[in-house]
Every structure is written in C-alpha cells, then in structure tokens.
Amino acid sequence: MEPGMVDKMATPHGLRAYDILDTPPERGYDDLVALASQICETRSGVVSLIDRDRQWFKARQGIGLCQTDLDHAICGMVVATDSIIEIEDLRLDPRTDRNPLVVEAPYLRFYAGVPLRTPFGTIGALAVFDPAPKPGGLSDVQRASLEKLARLVVDLLELRRQSMAHDRAQMHWRSLIQTMNEGYILAKLMRDEEGQVFDWRYQDVNPAWERHLGIAATDAINKTCRDIFPGVEPRWISLAAQAVDENRPVSFVQEVRTLRRWFEGTFYPVGQDFFSLTFREITAQVAAEKRQTGLIALGDVLRDERDVEVMICRAMAVVGEAFDADRATYGELDHEIETLTVSEGWAVEGMPSIKGRYRFDDYGRLRETLLAGEALVIDDILTDPRTADESAGWLALRARGVINIPVREDGRNVALMLVHFSHPHEWGADEIHWLHNAADRLEVAIARRRADEMQAVVNGEIAHRLRNTLAMVQAVARMTLRDALSKEDATRFYERLQSLGRAHDLLHGDDQRAAHLGDLIANILRDASMDERCRLSGPVIRLGSRAAMSTALLIHEMTTNACKHGALSVPEGEIEIDWEIECQTGGGELVLNWRERYGPPAAKPVRGGFGSRLISFGLIGTGGVALRYEPEGLSASFRADAEKIMRT
C-alpha cells in the first residue's frame, strides 16, 4: 500500500464513540460476515475497523489474523476513498501486488469492500475476499446485498453506542441515588382482584433509606410495606396509589406513627404500577414547631388561669402535647428531697395513674442529681445506671424515657415538672432548654398567683376593717350631727360615706387592685334604683384607688342631683353616660359625658354648696369640668389625663 493512502487521523475519533476495539466476538457481527461471504461466494470476510496504527477485525471468517498494520490494510483504501472498492485480481493491481497478504499466506487474489458510514464518519469496511481471482467482480445483486449488510453493521454499532449511553445515564442516576441524602425507593403497587391498591412491594432502596429508617436494604427488597411496617397508616398506601392513578407527582408531610417520626417527600409515577419515592426526615423540625406553639399556649394558660391547681393541670397538658409525650405532671418535693407528692397531671389514654407520694430511693439513685439542683435526664430507665436496678417501679408506671425539671422557689427546689415517654427517648439539648424555660415560667406564675392570693387575704382584712371604721364614723356622725344638720343634709352626708364604701369594695372586690369605671357607675345607679333609666357605653377603663374614690363621689352627687332636680325626678326622664379615650399630642385623655333627657329644664343653682364643690373637683380632683344648663336637661363633660386616672 502506498504511504499516505490512508489518513491515519481521520477515523479514530469516530471509532472511539463505539468503544468496540478489542472486544470479544459477537454473534450479530459474525453472522453478517458469514452471510456476506455466502452471498458474494467468497471463502473469507471481515468487519474491519481502522484505528490510528492498525486495522482490527471485529468479525472474521476464513482468516486467522485478528488485525494487521495499517500500511498493509486493504480496507484502508475503502475508508480513504469512502467508496466501494473491488479488485478482481490483487496480484495484478499495482496498489496491492506487493501486499504481504497477497504475496504470502493467505495469498488473497479477490477483494470487495463497502465503507461503514456512521454519524461520526467512515470508520471501516465490510469486506469479502478469496484466494482465487474473480473476473468481472461481484454481480449487481451481490454488490447491493453487500451494501445493505454494511448498513446493518452500522446499525449494530449504533445500537451499541445508544446502549452504552443508556448504561452511562443509568450509572449516573444510580450514583446520584446512592449518594444523595434523601431516602429513595422504587416499588410496585399491589392490587386486589377489583384493582384496589392495598400495599406495595419494594424493588430498590438507597443507602439513605437505610440511614433514615434503620432497616437494611436486604431486609426490604421484595418485601411489602406492611411486612416492614405492620400497622402503617393507610394514608401512605393511598398517596402512592394517587400518584400512579393520576400520573402526577404527589407531595406529602406525614408521620409514621409506628416509628414516631415525620417525613416529607414526593411520590413519582414511573409506569405500569411502578413508582419512586424520595423523602427526608423532618421529625426535629416538626417537634420544634410544636414546642414553639406549645410555648405560646403555655403563656396563655399562665397568664389567664387564676386558680393555681387548674393552671398547673392545664400547663402540664400543654407540655405533654408539645412533646407528643405519654405523660406530663407536677410534683411537690419535701424539704429533704426524699419524697415527691405527684398530682394526676396529664397523660394519654391507657397510661396508669401516677397520683400519689413516692420515695426517690425506691426508683434508683436519683437524689444526688436532684440535690445538686440539676435536671434528671434519663433516655431509658432500663439502661441508665441510676435506674437499671430499680426499673420495676418505672415499668409499672410505663415510663422509659424520663425527665424531671426542678421548679425553684427562694433559691431551693420545691417541685418537679415530670415528662414521661412509654418508650426510650433521646432527650435533645433543645428539648431540655425548652422544659427549663417552661419550668421557669411556671415557677413565676405560681409565685405570682400565691402572692395575689396572699394580697387578696390582706385586702379582705383591710376592707373589713375599713367597713367597720366607716360604720363607726357613720354612727358617731349620727350622734354628733343629729342637732347640727337638717335631716336632708345628714342623709346626703351618710350617702356620701356609703359611696366611699362602695368604691372601696370595688377596689378590693377582686385581685386586680383597680376598679372598672363602668362597674363603679353601674353600682351607684343600681343603689339609687335608677340603673334601668340610664344608658352606659364606653371601653373598659381601670381606675386607680384615688380616682375610684373621687369618681364615686362625683357620680353619686350627679345621680342625687338628677333624682332631686333633674331628669330622674320625673318618670319619663333618662340619662346617657358615655366615656372614651381621646388621643392627643401629649397622651390620651379620658372624657366622660353626662346627658340628661326628657326632664325639666336645667337651671344653674343660685348658691353652691358642698355637692357643687365635689362636682367641680372632677374625676381626680383636678377639675376639667364643663356644665351646660340646657332646656332639655343638664349636660356635663369631665376630662382627666388617662394615665393619671389609671394610676392615681
């Protein structure tokens, strides 16, 4: 072969696309070579592929060589010219008359080759040859058949390339699935005779599935979901069926109750009742959200509940539900921290009652931790060295995962907040911190309620003594002023004393240490039997003690005057009383309006007495009074600084 006849760099790049060099024989190629030799009536044939420095035979018949050097490759001429080449007698053709394959064994004389044209160029030839010359060469039918067989060789090469690409894609996705953090399964739905889905069967799972669920892949493949998770929620099967039946991805946030763990992910339909599932565990996130919600609910309970025992019971319910625990309760410690008196608290259905008195030493070595003021944290009473030898008592209470959080008062532990799980529970730092926070809040709330209870007792005693004092003042006044005042003036003086007493009762009638303006006015009108003829409206306003006293005297004086001279002196008369907070630059101002209707015309008094001076003092003794004597009745406005009236 003449040097330069073949471009040695023209085909290797295309040939590499098929990754076929030096591969074992394959029946498809061998059959095509045999058929080509049979059709062309030759003894030998090859599928020749041209590499950088050699020609290699993927298939051969009637020749022992598997490759030759490129300079002696007759098929190289086919590739170089990208055309069919027929040589009737190789000995007589100057291109081949000195080729070792011609002048030496196997002494070739006839050759016909067809190019193998691929999408990447011509990479070789399908050739037939014979040790005898063939005058006239191939017939038209033989030549056309050889071309068709060459195209089939190219089809086989393309199938190989596409199969390799598919395998590489499969390996790529398989690698991603095997290394991703999300769990993955491939499964097939199981249907009954009516076509209803009742389970699925695992076909494949990835390592992350094993990590998330703690179950080996070998224990899952070919098993059903219900085999692995007995009692699994039907919702899981329904989600998979929905994805397949509706041929669309279905996402979820769902709990596996048997595992007490939450997951989020997506079911994907694959076809023919197969589906894939990717998921990740979100138990920690769900638990954190529940604890956050629980902290808000706990704040509401501690703020609103007045009774200490009820507050503790409701608080324990909030704690138990926030942790999805089996029991949450509260117990009071004795002075030496030897015993604990436990209330019933909160528990899920089926948990035994825990109410009663318990000795710590009957339940293990616990006192050392509690005496140090530390929380008692036990993941599993069966394995913790402090409780393992005394586990019978714990098991009777169905408590495995246990935590006791100290509740302190005046620097010492006085109680414990207890949370129990009926199964082992690994307590996290966030959970322990949350419980300490809850215990601190509970401690503050209990102290505040008990302080309020003590204050209520003190207030009751003060109120009782003040009522006795006012009664004595009234009795002394009756004796002393009996001849000094007229009967009418004396009566008004006694009524003013009674108004002071009613204002004081409102101040100490509950534990809020303030009277409500609406209640104060309503009580005075009710005592005068005029409440049905008066309409009250306005927001809830809390009065300080001094403001309550002065307002009580003011309203009493206005009511008395209305009964004697104003709207309440006639049957059809009415009074409208309303109040509001007006916003101003320097702060808010309370405005109380008094309007008499359907009574006699109002007239300014000729002379002012003590009652007139009381009215002029206003709501808190600082004035702010506007009186209007109108034909339809008296109208009055009383103004006072809103902040002062609530704290004065």
Side-chain angles (χ1 to χ4, degrees), residues 293-353:
T293 301
L295 207 58
I296 296 171
L298 181 64
D300 292 341
V301 169
L302 299 183
R303 181 191 66 239
D304 298 336
E305 185 56 57
R306 316 306 298 172
D307 183 272
V308 172
E309 297 303 321
V310 175
M311 179 180 69
I312 291 173
C313 185
R314 289 182 60 193
M316 292 304 99
V318 170
V319 171
E321 291 169 357
F323 276 75
D324 201 17
D326 294 296
R327 178 188 291 120
T329 188
Y330 182 88
E332 294 184 351
L333 293 164
D334 68 349
H335 187 72
E336 303 297 329
I337 311 184
E338 293 182 346
T339 64
L340 180 70
T341 302
V342 182
S343 63
E344 189 62 57
W346 172 91
V348 298
E349 185 177 355
M351 289 292 284
S353 173

Side-chain angles (χ1 to χ4, degrees), residues 47 57 68 88 107 116 195 217 227 281 293 454 472 481 512 529 534 554 619 624 636:
V47 171
F57 303 138
T68 72
E88 297 175 8
Y107 302 107
L116 299 176
D227 287 339
E281 185 174 358
T293 301
M454 179 61 71
M472 291 179 63
L481 303 177
Q512 297 183 21
S529 300
C534 300
L554 170 64
L619 293 170

Side-chain angles (χ1 to χ4, degrees), residues 1 44 63 72-75 77-78 85-113 127-135:
M1 187 173 181
S44 304
I63 185 171
H72 299 127
I74 302 174
C75 292
M77 294 187 295
V78 177
I85 291 181
E86 288 185 48
I87 303 176
E88 297 175 8
D89 190 340
L90 295 169
R91 289 287 298 271
L92 301 179
D93 191 303
R95 296 172 296 180
T96 60
D97 59 353
R98 288 179 290 177
N99 192 301
L101 298 175
V102 176
V103 298
E104 300 174 6
Y107 302 107
L108 302 179
R109 298 294 295 276
F110 172 75
Y111 175 88
V128 292
F129 36 83
D130 196 87
K134 199 176 186 68

